[in-house]
Amino acid sequence: MRPVPAAEVRRALGAVAAWAPDLDPDDRYVDLVDLVASGLPERVSRRLRGAPLRVGYSAVSMGVASRLWSLTVVPALRGGIVVDPAAVCARDDDGSVVLGVRPGEGLTDLTLDDLHDVVLAVLGPVVEALPLSAQLHWGNVAGSLAVVPRVHGLRGAEPAVADLLGRAPWVGLMDGARRRTCCLFYLAPGAGLCGDCALDRVPAV
């Protein structure tokens, strides 16, 4: 990898459509782990109609991962640029998470090893800060990564995504398009199973 100027990073991130990051974060933005510690899972649970707190914990890793692909995998696969992990920050609006990118250099001349390392540098501390099984959270990460080509219109990205899905700590957590873990969303009032859920039916209470 080698550094790339902040203007090029901004240009690459500005082309992201789905889950676009805030490129001008203000003082509401904090480091991700600090946002989690501030009561984010509780706010997410309230947003999900008073879902059990464990649903909030799971939704945090799912939501952060889904948004993170927009400022890591997508610009990396489109333009060969990724942000410095230290530049990633976040805020929430009553449980709705928004990721931001502080001004600064990024990285280019990437390999998939480099991209994997950048993602883990951001997500690893978040997963460690959340209760519940790490496998559940990494399953959320894998599930959100698997749909990147479709969600972001990157049909040529399937080989790179498949390569990333074959790496620890989420290797083996997808069976084709279906997850091997459940995100617990069915426990939220009015919710059912996700389309890629490992379960075939909602468990009896």
Side-chain angles (χ1 to χ4, degrees), residues 4-41:
V4 66
E8 292 188 34
V9 177
R10 190 177 183 89
R11 189 159 45 248
L13 293 175
V16 174
W19 302 120
D22 188 341
L23 302 183
D24 296 295
D26 55 28
D27 57 7
R28 293 173 297 168
Y29 285 80
V30 297
D31 290 343
L32 269 166
V33 172
D34 292 336
L35 186 66
V36 172
S38 74
L40 176 61

Short mmCIF file of all heavy atoms in Angstrom, two decimals, residues 4-41:
data_model
loop_
_atom_site.label_atom_id
_atom_site.label_comp_id
_atom_site.label_asym_id
_atom_site.label_seq_id
_atom_site.Cartn_x
_atom_site.Cartn_y
_atom_site.Cartn_z
N VAL A 4 -2.38 8.03 -0.39
CA VAL A 4 -3.01 8.77 -1.48
C VAL A 4 -3.58 10.05 -0.88
O VAL A 4 -4.06 10.04 0.25
CB VAL A 4 -4.10 7.91 -2.17
CG1 VAL A 4 -5.25 7.62 -1.24
CG2 VAL A 4 -4.59 8.55 -3.44
N PRO A 5 -3.52 11.18 -1.58
CA PRO A 5 -3.95 12.45 -1.01
C PRO A 5 -5.43 12.46 -0.59
O PRO A 5 -6.26 11.75 -1.15
CB PRO A 5 -3.69 13.45 -2.14
CG PRO A 5 -2.66 12.82 -2.99
CD PRO A 5 -2.92 11.35 -2.92
N ALA A 6 -5.74 13.32 0.37
CA ALA A 6 -7.09 13.43 0.91
C ALA A 6 -8.10 13.76 -0.19
O ALA A 6 -9.24 13.28 -0.17
CB ALA A 6 -7.14 14.48 2.00
N ALA A 7 -7.72 14.57 -1.17
CA ALA A 7 -8.65 14.95 -2.23
C ALA A 7 -9.08 13.73 -3.05
O ALA A 7 -10.25 13.63 -3.46
CB ALA A 7 -8.00 15.99 -3.15
N GLU A 8 -8.17 12.79 -3.27
CA GLU A 8 -8.53 11.58 -4.01
C GLU A 8 -9.43 10.68 -3.20
O GLU A 8 -10.34 10.03 -3.72
CB GLU A 8 -7.26 10.84 -4.44
CG GLU A 8 -6.44 11.58 -5.49
CD GLU A 8 -5.30 10.72 -6.02
OE1 GLU A 8 -5.49 9.49 -6.12
OE2 GLU A 8 -4.24 11.29 -6.33
N VAL A 9 -9.18 10.61 -1.89
CA VAL A 9 -10.06 9.82 -1.01
C VAL A 9 -11.47 10.40 -1.05
O VAL A 9 -12.45 9.67 -1.19
CB VAL A 9 -9.52 9.84 0.44
CG1 VAL A 9 -10.48 9.08 1.35
CG2 VAL A 9 -8.14 9.23 0.50
N ARG A 10 -11.57 11.70 -0.93
CA ARG A 10 -12.87 12.36 -0.94
C ARG A 10 -13.61 12.12 -2.26
O ARG A 10 -14.81 11.88 -2.27
CB ARG A 10 -12.68 13.86 -0.70
CG ARG A 10 -13.97 14.62 -0.44
CD ARG A 10 -13.70 16.09 -0.14
NE ARG A 10 -14.92 16.80 0.17
CZ ARG A 10 -15.42 16.91 1.39
NH1 ARG A 10 -14.80 16.35 2.42
NH2 ARG A 10 -16.54 17.58 1.58
N ARG A 11 -12.87 12.18 -3.37
CA ARG A 11 -13.48 11.95 -4.67
C ARG A 11 -14.01 10.51 -4.77
O ARG A 11 -15.13 10.27 -5.26
CB ARG A 11 -12.46 12.23 -5.77
CG ARG A 11 -13.03 12.23 -7.17
CD ARG A 11 -12.15 13.00 -8.15
NE ARG A 11 -10.74 12.66 -8.02
CZ ARG A 11 -9.82 13.52 -7.57
NH1 ARG A 11 -10.16 14.74 -7.19
NH2 ARG A 11 -8.55 13.17 -7.51
N ALA A 12 -13.23 9.54 -4.28
CA ALA A 12 -13.66 8.14 -4.33
C ALA A 12 -14.88 7.90 -3.45
O ALA A 12 -15.83 7.20 -3.85
CB ALA A 12 -12.52 7.23 -3.89
N LEU A 13 -14.89 8.47 -2.26
CA LEU A 13 -16.02 8.28 -1.36
C LEU A 13 -17.26 9.03 -1.83
O LEU A 13 -18.39 8.61 -1.58
CB LEU A 13 -15.65 8.74 0.05
CG LEU A 13 -14.58 7.91 0.76
CD1 LEU A 13 -14.20 8.54 2.09
CD2 LEU A 13 -15.06 6.48 0.98
N GLY A 14 -17.04 10.14 -2.53
CA GLY A 14 -18.18 10.91 -3.04
C GLY A 14 -18.97 10.18 -4.10
O GLY A 14 -20.12 10.53 -4.38
N ALA A 15 -18.37 9.15 -4.69
CA ALA A 15 -19.05 8.37 -5.73
C ALA A 15 -19.91 7.25 -5.14
O ALA A 15 -20.63 6.57 -5.87
CB ALA A 15 -18.03 7.78 -6.69
N VAL A 16 -19.84 7.06 -3.82
CA VAL A 16 -20.62 6.00 -3.18
C VAL A 16 -22.08 6.45 -3.05
O VAL A 16 -22.35 7.56 -2.57
CB VAL A 16 -20.06 5.67 -1.79
CG1 VAL A 16 -20.96 4.69 -1.06
CG2 VAL A 16 -18.65 5.10 -1.93
N ALA A 17 -23.01 5.61 -3.47
CA ALA A 17 -24.44 5.96 -3.42
C ALA A 17 -25.12 5.35 -2.20
O ALA A 17 -25.69 6.07 -1.37
CB ALA A 17 -25.14 5.52 -4.70
N ALA A 18 -25.08 4.03 -2.06
CA ALA A 18 -25.75 3.36 -0.94
C ALA A 18 -24.92 3.49 0.33
O ALA A 18 -23.72 3.22 0.33
CB ALA A 18 -25.97 1.88 -1.27
N TRP A 19 -25.56 3.92 1.42
CA TRP A 19 -24.89 4.10 2.72
C TRP A 19 -23.70 5.05 2.58
O TRP A 19 -22.62 4.82 3.13
CB TRP A 19 -24.40 2.77 3.30
CG TRP A 19 -25.45 1.74 3.54
CD1 TRP A 19 -25.51 0.50 2.98
CD2 TRP A 19 -26.60 1.84 4.40
NE1 TRP A 19 -26.61 -0.18 3.43
CE2 TRP A 19 -27.30 0.62 4.30
CE3 TRP A 19 -27.09 2.84 5.24
CZ2 TRP A 19 -28.48 0.38 5.01
CZ3 TRP A 19 -28.27 2.61 5.94
CH2 TRP A 19 -28.94 1.38 5.82
N ALA A 20 -23.88 6.13 1.85
CA ALA A 20 -22.79 7.08 1.65
C ALA A 20 -22.34 7.67 2.99
O ALA A 20 -23.16 8.06 3.82
CB ALA A 20 -23.25 8.20 0.72
N PRO A 21 -21.03 7.74 3.22
CA PRO A 21 -20.53 8.31 4.48
C PRO A 21 -20.59 9.83 4.47
O PRO A 21 -20.60 10.46 3.41
CB PRO A 21 -19.08 7.82 4.52
CG PRO A 21 -18.70 7.71 3.07
CD PRO A 21 -19.94 7.23 2.37
N ASP A 22 -20.60 10.41 5.64
CA ASP A 22 -20.54 11.86 5.80
C ASP A 22 -19.08 12.28 5.68
O ASP A 22 -18.23 11.84 6.46
CB ASP A 22 -21.09 12.24 7.18
CG ASP A 22 -21.25 13.75 7.35
OD1 ASP A 22 -20.61 14.51 6.59
OD2 ASP A 22 -21.99 14.17 8.26
N LEU A 23 -18.77 13.10 4.70
CA LEU A 23 -17.39 13.50 4.45
C LEU A 23 -17.02 14.80 5.18
O LEU A 23 -15.88 15.26 5.07
CB LEU A 23 -17.16 13.66 2.95
CG LEU A 23 -17.44 12.41 2.11
CD1 LEU A 23 -17.11 12.67 0.65
CD2 LEU A 23 -16.65 11.22 2.63
N ASP A 24 -17.98 15.35 5.90
CA ASP A 24 -17.73 16.56 6.68
C ASP A 24 -18.25 16.36 8.10
O ASP A 24 -19.15 17.08 8.55
CB ASP A 24 -18.39 17.77 6.02
CG ASP A 24 -17.81 18.08 4.65
OD1 ASP A 24 -16.63 18.45 4.60
OD2 ASP A 24 -18.54 17.93 3.65
N PRO A 25 -17.71 15.36 8.82
CA PRO A 25 -18.23 15.07 10.15
C PRO A 25 -17.99 16.23 11.13
O PRO A 25 -16.90 16.83 11.14
CB PRO A 25 -17.44 13.82 10.57
CG PRO A 25 -16.19 13.88 9.75
CD PRO A 25 -16.58 14.51 8.46
N ASP A 26 -19.02 16.54 11.93
CA ASP A 26 -18.89 17.61 12.91
C ASP A 26 -18.59 17.03 14.29
O ASP A 26 -18.21 15.84 14.40
CB ASP A 26 -20.16 18.47 12.93
CG ASP A 26 -21.43 17.64 13.16
OD1 ASP A 26 -21.33 16.56 13.81
OD2 ASP A 26 -22.50 18.04 12.71
N ASP A 27 -18.78 17.82 15.33
CA ASP A 27 -18.38 17.36 16.66
C ASP A 27 -19.35 16.37 17.28
O ASP A 27 -19.15 15.91 18.40
CB ASP A 27 -18.17 18.55 17.60
CG ASP A 27 -19.41 19.44 17.72
OD1 ASP A 27 -20.47 19.06 17.19
OD2 ASP A 27 -19.30 20.51 18.35
N ARG A 28 -20.42 16.01 16.56
CA ARG A 28 -21.29 14.93 17.04
C ARG A 28 -20.66 13.56 16.79
O ARG A 28 -21.09 12.57 17.38
CB ARG A 28 -22.65 14.99 16.33
CG ARG A 28 -23.50 16.20 16.66
CD ARG A 28 -24.73 16.23 15.77
NE ARG A 28 -24.37 16.37 14.35
CZ ARG A 28 -25.24 16.20 13.36
NH1 ARG A 28 -26.50 15.86 13.61
NH2 ARG A 28 -24.85 16.35 12.09
N TYR A 29 -19.68 13.50 15.91
CA TYR A 29 -19.06 12.23 15.54
C TYR A 29 -17.98 11.85 16.54
O TYR A 29 -17.19 12.69 16.99
CB TYR A 29 -18.45 12.33 14.15
CG TYR A 29 -19.47 12.28 13.04
CD1 TYR A 29 -20.21 13.42 12.70
CD2 TYR A 29 -19.72 11.11 12.33
CE1 TYR A 29 -21.15 13.39 11.69
CE2 TYR A 29 -20.66 11.07 11.32
CZ TYR A 29 -21.37 12.21 11.00
OH TYR A 29 -22.32 12.16 10.00
N VAL A 30 -17.96 10.56 16.89
CA VAL A 30 -16.97 10.01 17.81
C VAL A 30 -16.43 8.71 17.23
O VAL A 30 -16.93 8.21 16.22
CB VAL A 30 -17.58 9.75 19.21
CG1 VAL A 30 -18.07 11.05 19.84
CG2 VAL A 30 -18.72 8.73 19.13
N ASP A 31 -15.42 8.15 17.87
CA ASP A 31 -14.94 6.84 17.45
C ASP A 31 -16.04 5.80 17.64
O ASP A 31 -16.89 5.92 18.55
CB ASP A 31 -13.71 6.44 18.26
CG ASP A 31 -12.49 7.29 17.91
OD1 ASP A 31 -12.51 7.94 16.84
OD2 ASP A 31 -11.54 7.32 18.71
N LEU A 32 -16.04 4.78 16.81
CA LEU A 32 -17.12 3.79 16.83
C LEU A 32 -17.29 3.12 18.20
O LEU A 32 -18.41 2.95 18.68
CB LEU A 32 -16.87 2.72 15.76
CG LEU A 32 -17.48 3.00 14.39
CD1 LEU A 32 -16.88 2.07 13.35
CD2 LEU A 32 -18.98 2.84 14.44
N VAL A 33 -16.20 2.73 18.82
CA VAL A 33 -16.30 2.05 20.11
C VAL A 33 -16.90 2.99 21.16
O VAL A 33 -17.69 2.56 22.01
CB VAL A 33 -14.93 1.53 20.56
CG1 VAL A 33 -14.99 1.00 21.99
CG2 VAL A 33 -14.46 0.41 19.62
N ASP A 34 -16.57 4.26 21.08
CA ASP A 34 -17.16 5.23 22.02
C ASP A 34 -18.65 5.37 21.77
O ASP A 34 -19.44 5.55 22.72
CB ASP A 34 -16.47 6.58 21.88
CG ASP A 34 -15.03 6.55 22.37
OD1 ASP A 34 -14.71 5.68 23.21
OD2 ASP A 34 -14.23 7.38 21.91
N LEU A 35 -19.07 5.32 20.51
CA LEU A 35 -20.50 5.41 20.21
C LEU A 35 -21.25 4.21 20.78
O LEU A 35 -22.33 4.34 21.36
CB LEU A 35 -20.72 5.49 18.70
CG LEU A 35 -22.18 5.72 18.26
CD1 LEU A 35 -22.65 7.09 18.71
CD2 LEU A 35 -22.32 5.58 16.75
N VAL A 36 -20.66 3.01 20.62
CA VAL A 36 -21.28 1.81 21.19
C VAL A 36 -21.42 1.95 22.70
O VAL A 36 -22.48 1.66 23.28
CB VAL A 36 -20.46 0.55 20.83
CG1 VAL A 36 -20.99 -0.67 21.58
CG2 VAL A 36 -20.49 0.30 19.33
N ALA A 37 -20.37 2.44 23.34
CA ALA A 37 -20.37 2.56 24.80
C ALA A 37 -21.33 3.63 25.30
O ALA A 37 -21.72 3.63 26.48
CB ALA A 37 -18.96 2.86 25.29
N SER A 38 -21.75 4.53 24.42
CA SER A 38 -22.63 5.62 24.83
C SER A 38 -24.09 5.21 24.94
O SER A 38 -24.95 6.03 25.23
CB SER A 38 -22.51 6.78 23.83
OG SER A 38 -23.17 6.48 22.61
N GLY A 39 -24.38 3.93 24.69
CA GLY A 39 -25.76 3.44 24.75
C GLY A 39 -26.39 3.21 23.39
O GLY A 39 -27.61 3.12 23.28
N LEU A 40 -25.55 3.06 22.36
CA LEU A 40 -26.09 2.83 21.01
C LEU A 40 -26.99 1.60 20.94
O LEU A 40 -28.09 1.68 20.37
CB LEU A 40 -24.94 2.72 20.01
CG LEU A 40 -25.35 2.39 18.57
CD1 LEU A 40 -26.26 3.46 17.99
CD2 LEU A 40 -24.11 2.21 17.69
N PRO A 41 -26.60 0.44 21.48
CA PRO A 41 -27.50 -0.72 21.38
C PRO A 41 -28.87 -0.46 22.00
O PRO A 41 -29.89 -0.91 21.46
CB PRO A 41 -26.75 -1.82 22.14
CG PRO A 41 -25.32 -1.43 22.04
CD PRO A 41 -25.32 0.07 22.14
#
